[in-house]
């Protein structure tokens, strides 16, 4: 399956929950044919937008030699280094500065982008220009660990999209040892990463684009009775990828991302049994939780990206229906939106009796 780069961009902005920030950049997505140039453009445009708003500042603890006294005097350090003899002291003080971690990470990633030969010259030149506009900000050796140390808040949340893009670029720029040059990975082939992206995209899409259901993840309790002193806590956690719940209906969606939607068993095409068992376990355990009346006839859906063939199959299991459906991510984006919305509107407009016929 080949997913257009424009659709990858939409998948990621939904998954990151940064759709509004992406829309403010007003990019012509059709102008880009590969990921590194599209996301390179997003990084440069996002950083220019930050600079236009003003670089974020914060108080940082600083220690330095100083002529006079500023902040807290470090007496031992000043004596031991004989700074007093030279009319100086060693002091610790808080400085209100732009030299904060998120600015340093963005500036350093701009340098990486500007030096990447596989990026179009115009984007590299603009990355250099943007790099030099991060005045008063030190460079840092960019690595993925740094992103977990950055904490944004309401007043600097506009940093979210550029930081997500910077992390994405750094994750996928690798050295081609055969040619000795940097290249950009085909990240779509990474099933684990794409599975997480697909799940986050579907959850955030439904949270944003429809208002019939409330959207969340849900923990499901094992409806078992431990015998002979058995430890209940040893049971694995059951947590839905996505739970959609309205005043009258509950739907559990389990997203999966495989290079093949089905498997082959003794020469016959079959759905992945583990996926069905997992969803069946969710439904049979949740129906016994009487704290919510909608649990008794909760429905389930296995949602896959289309690989080579469309599937839309519905089965009844006791009081529940299980639907197995694919979404073609190679279509025009508006078609994808429409199909995803209809997939859940289908339940809101049909009773279980209608689904069974």
């Amino acid at each position: 399956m080949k997913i257009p780069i424009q659709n990858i961009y939409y998948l990621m902005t939904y998954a990151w929950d940064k759709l509004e920030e992406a829309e403010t950049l007003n990019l012509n997505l059709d102008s880009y044919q590969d990921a590194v140039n599209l996301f390179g453009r997003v990084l440069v445009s996002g950083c220019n937008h930050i600079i236009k708003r003003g670089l974020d500042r914060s108080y940082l603890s600083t220690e330095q030699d100083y002529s006079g006294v500023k902040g807290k005097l470090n007496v031992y350090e000043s004596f031991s280094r004989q700074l007093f003899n030279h009319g100086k002291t060693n002091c610790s003080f808080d400085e209100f500065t732009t030299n904060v971690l998120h600015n340093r990470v963005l500036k350093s990633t701009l340098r990486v982008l500007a030096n990447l030969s596989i990026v179009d010259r115009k984007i590299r030149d603009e990355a250099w220009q943007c790099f030099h506009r991060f005045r008063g900000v030190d460079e840092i050796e960019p690595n993925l660990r740094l992103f977990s140390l950055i904490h944004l808040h309401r007043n600097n949340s506009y940093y979210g999209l550029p930081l997500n893009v910077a992390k994405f670029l750094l994750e996928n720029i690798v050295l081609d040892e055969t040619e000795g040059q940097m290249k950009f990975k085909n990240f779509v082939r990474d099933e684990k990463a794409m599975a997480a992206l697909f799940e986050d995209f579907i959850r955030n899409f439904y949270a944003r684009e429809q208002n019939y259901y409330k959207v969340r993840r849900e923990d499901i309790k094992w409806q078992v009775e431990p015998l002979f002193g058995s430890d209940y806590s040893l049971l694995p956690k059951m947590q839905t990828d996505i739970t959609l719940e309205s005043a009258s209906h509950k739907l559990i969606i389990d997203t999966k991302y495989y290079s093949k939607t089905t498997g082959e068993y003794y020469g016959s095409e079959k759905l992945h049994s583990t996926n069905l068992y997992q969803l069946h376990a969710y439904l049979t355990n949740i129906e016994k939780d009487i704290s919510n009346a909608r649990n008794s006839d909760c429905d389930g859906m296995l949602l896959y990206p289309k690989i080579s063939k469309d599937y839309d199959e519905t089965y009844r299991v006791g009081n529940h229906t299980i639907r197995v459906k694919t979404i073609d991510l190679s279509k025009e984006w508006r078609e994808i939106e429409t199909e995803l919305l209809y997939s859940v509107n289908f339940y809101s407009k049909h009773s279980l009796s209608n689904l069974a016929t």
Side-chain angles (χ1 to χ4, degrees):
M1 172 183 57
K2 181 173 176 58
I3 306 176
I5 188 58
Q6 294 81 4
N7 289 357
I8 290 289
Y9 180 65
Y10 283 122
L11 287 174
M12 289 189 168
T13 53
Y14 271 103
W16 296 333
D17 199 18
K18 298 299 176 186
L19 195 63
E20 287 91 349
E21 290 92 328
E23 289 174 346
T24 62
L25 301 181
N26 198 28
L27 298 178
N28 180 9
L29 300 182
D30 294 333
S31 302
Y32 304 92
Q33 301 302 318
D34 58 72
V36 68
N37 280 294
L38 173 56
F39 286 94
R41 164 58 62 204
V42 175
L43 178 64
V44 173
S45 297
C47 287
N48 280 327
H49 179 70
I50 286 173
I51 292 168
K52 186 177 180 180
R53 291 189 60 160
L55 291 177
D56 189 36
R57 295 172 180 265
S58 185
Y59 284 100
L60 293 182
S61 296
T62 303
E63 180 180 314
Q64 69 178 45
D65 297 343
Y66 195 75
S67 296
V69 177
K70 183 177 181 179
K72 177 185 176 183
L73 173 64
N74 298 322
V75 177
Y76 177 79
E77 182 72 12
S78 299
F79 269 117
S80 63
R81 294 172 52 204
Q82 299 183 351
L83 294 177
F84 292 124
N85 297 340
H86 302 282
K88 291 187 176 182
T89 60
N90 182 266
C91 300
S92 298
F93 53 92
D94 290 336
E95 183 178 18
F96 195 54
T97 176
T98 59
N99 197 31
V100 292
L101 182 58
H102 37 293
N103 285 333
R104 298 175 72 186
V105 166
L106 288 179
K107 181 175 184 176
S108 302
T109 308
L110 284 168
R111 175 184 279 278
V112 172
L113 183 67
N115 285 314
L116 203 58
S117 61
I118 57 175
V119 176
D120 290 346
R121 167 61 67 182
K122 183 178 180 181
I123 296 176
R124 282 189 284 154
D125 289 345
E126 291 182 16
W128 271 122
Q129 293 171 16
C130 189
F131 169 89
H132 290 296
R133 295 177 69 191
F134 276 76
R135 297 183 182 90
V137 177
D138 296 334
E139 286 191 70
I140 193 171
E141 184 64 33
N143 66 75
L144 297 176
R145 181 186 62 84
L146 296 173
F147 290 88
S148 64
L149 303 178
I150 297 173
H151 301 288
L152 301 182
H153 48 77
R154 183 167 56 88
N155 292 333
N156 62 6
S157 61
Y158 55 93
Y159 273 75
L161 178 62
L163 285 169
N164 276 310
V165 171
K167 182 180 180 183
F168 171 72
L169 288 170
L170 293 174
E171 284 174 332
N172 291 283
I173 295 171
V174 295
L175 176 66
D176 185 343
E177 295 182 356
T178 59
E179 299 181 6
Q181 294 182 339
M182 305 305 290
K183 69 174 185 178
F184 202 71
K185 289 193 304 184
N186 185 354
F187 57 91
V188 176
R189 294 182 180 176
D190 185 341
E191 283 192 9
K192 185 176 180 180
M194 288 301 294
L197 173 65
F198 187 57
E199 177 188 330
D200 289 343
F201 156 65
I202 295 296
R203 184 187 307 106
N204 287 340
F205 176 86
Y206 283 132
R208 291 180 56 91
E209 303 299 340
Q210 58 80 47
N211 54 21
Y212 182 80
Y213 291 101
K214 292 182 179 179
V215 181
R216 70 186 193 281
R217 301 192 73 165
E218 180 181 15
D219 292 336
I220 298 175
K221 294 181 179 179
W222 287 92
Q223 300 298 319
V224 299
E225 179 186 356
L227 300 177
F228 313 116
S230 297
D231 188 353
Y232 183 92
S233 66
L234 291 175
L235 294 173
K237 183 177 183 179
M238 281 195 292
Q239 185 181 62
T240 65
D241 290 345
I242 307 157
T243 293
L244 281 68
E245 186 168 2
S246 70
S248 59
H249 183 244
K250 179 183 280 192
L251 172 65
I252 293 174
I253 300 178
D254 211 32
T255 60
K256 302 297 178 184
Y257 192 99
Y258 296 122
S259 57
K260 294 182 67 176
T261 307
T262 58
E264 186 173 309
Y265 298 87
Y266 300 101
S268 298
E269 182 182 28
K270 300 291 183 182
L271 297 169
H272 292 285
S273 58
T274 53
N275 301 162
L276 289 168
Y277 294 152
Q278 181 181 16
L279 187 55
H280 184 259
Y282 289 169
L283 296 174
T284 54
N285 279 276
I286 204 170
E287 74 176 1
K288 296 176 182 177
D289 182 355
I290 61 174
S291 64
N292 185 338
R294 290 174 289 280
N295 288 344
S296 62
D297 55 1
C298 176
D299 295 318
M301 181 193 296
L302 287 171
L303 191 60
Y304 301 84
K306 175 188 172 182
I307 303 302
S308 58
K309 180 180 176 181
D310 271 319
Y311 292 90
D312 193 354
E313 315 293 333
T314 305
Y315 308 93
R316 178 178 288 281
V317 182
N319 292 331
H320 316 284
T321 60
I322 292 180
R323 189 179 182 190
V324 181
K325 180 166 176 53
T326 55
I327 293 293
D328 187 349
L329 297 178
S330 67
K331 288 183 177 180
E332 291 289 330
W333 187 254
R334 294 304 176 194
E335 294 182 67
I336 295 173
E337 289 181 320
T338 300
E339 187 171 359
L340 284 173
L341 290 173
Y342 178 76
S343 295
V344 297
N345 287 342
F346 177 82
Y347 289 96
S348 66
K349 294 176 181 178
H350 292 74
S351 67
L352 288 178
S353 59
N354 288 333
L355 286 174
T357 59

